[in-house]
Amino acid sequence: MNFNHYETIYILKPNITEEQNLTLLNQYKSLIKKYGGQNIAIQHKGRRHLNYNIQSYYDGIYMQINYTASSNLVKILEKTMGLSGEIIRYITVKNYSTNHIHV
């Protein structure tokens, strides 16, 4: 199975409690581990003003998860995030290492 490095950033509603945030974070971390994801690193980016309103929200709580996994896991994780009522936006990008660039 081919594993790649991914970075998933998601924005939570601004009125979410720290407890709800930790519950979601642990759920996503468990999901990543369950489907073979590794090297999980989590960063709490804090509350930030949005450049434009999303679902009538002006602010959001930004979270970032870096991990190594298969592309199938990314689909599962994003589907789960899409079903969450607490997340207003998410995106996953594949990180390319400079070691793999061929000239």
Side-chain angles (χ1 to χ4, degrees), residues 2 7 15 18-19 23 25 28-30 36 46 75 78 91 98 100:
N2 191 14
E7 176 178 292
N15 58 350
E18 190 64 32
E19 185 178 326
T23 300
L25 190 56
Y28 299 141
K29 192 174 175 181
S30 296
K75 292 175 190 172
E78 286 191 337
I91 187 170
T98 56
H100 297 4

Side-chain angles (χ1 to χ4, degrees), residues 11-17 20 47-62 84-89:
I11 306 171
L12 296 163
K13 292 179 178 178
N15 58 350
I16 193 170
T17 66
Q20 289 172 307
R47 186 181 179 127
R48 296 184 182 183
H49 184 70
L50 303 173
N51 288 333
Y52 54 90
N53 293 354
I54 302 174
Q55 298 177 11
S56 301
Y57 292 103
Y58 298 97
D59 295 331
I61 300 169
Y62 282 69
S84 172
E86 304 301 330
I87 294 179
I88 56 177
R89 188 67 45 101

Side-chain angles (χ1 to χ4, degrees), residues 71-89:
S71 59
N72 189 46
L73 170 63
V74 173
K75 292 175 190 172
I76 294 167
L77 182 62
E78 286 191 337
K79 182 175 182 180
T80 304
M81 287 181 171
L83 296 173
S84 172
E86 304 301 330
I87 294 179
I88 56 177
R89 188 67 45 101

Side-chain angles (χ1 to χ4, degrees), residues 4-10 25 28-29 32-33 37-45 63-69 73-74 77 81 91-96:
N4 296 302
H5 298 284
Y6 293 98
E7 176 178 292
T8 299
I9 297 174
Y10 60 96
L25 190 56
Y28 299 141
K29 192 174 175 181
I32 292 168
K33 287 181 181 179
Q38 302 171 350
N39 305 322
I40 304 167
I42 299 165
Q43 293 181 18
H44 188 289
K45 298 290 190 172
M63 299 296 296
Q64 177 178 330
I65 307 174
N66 293 68
Y67 52 96
T68 305
L73 170 63
V74 173
L77 182 62
M81 287 181 171
I91 187 170
T92 300
V93 293
K94 184 176 176 182
N95 291 335
Y96 292 96

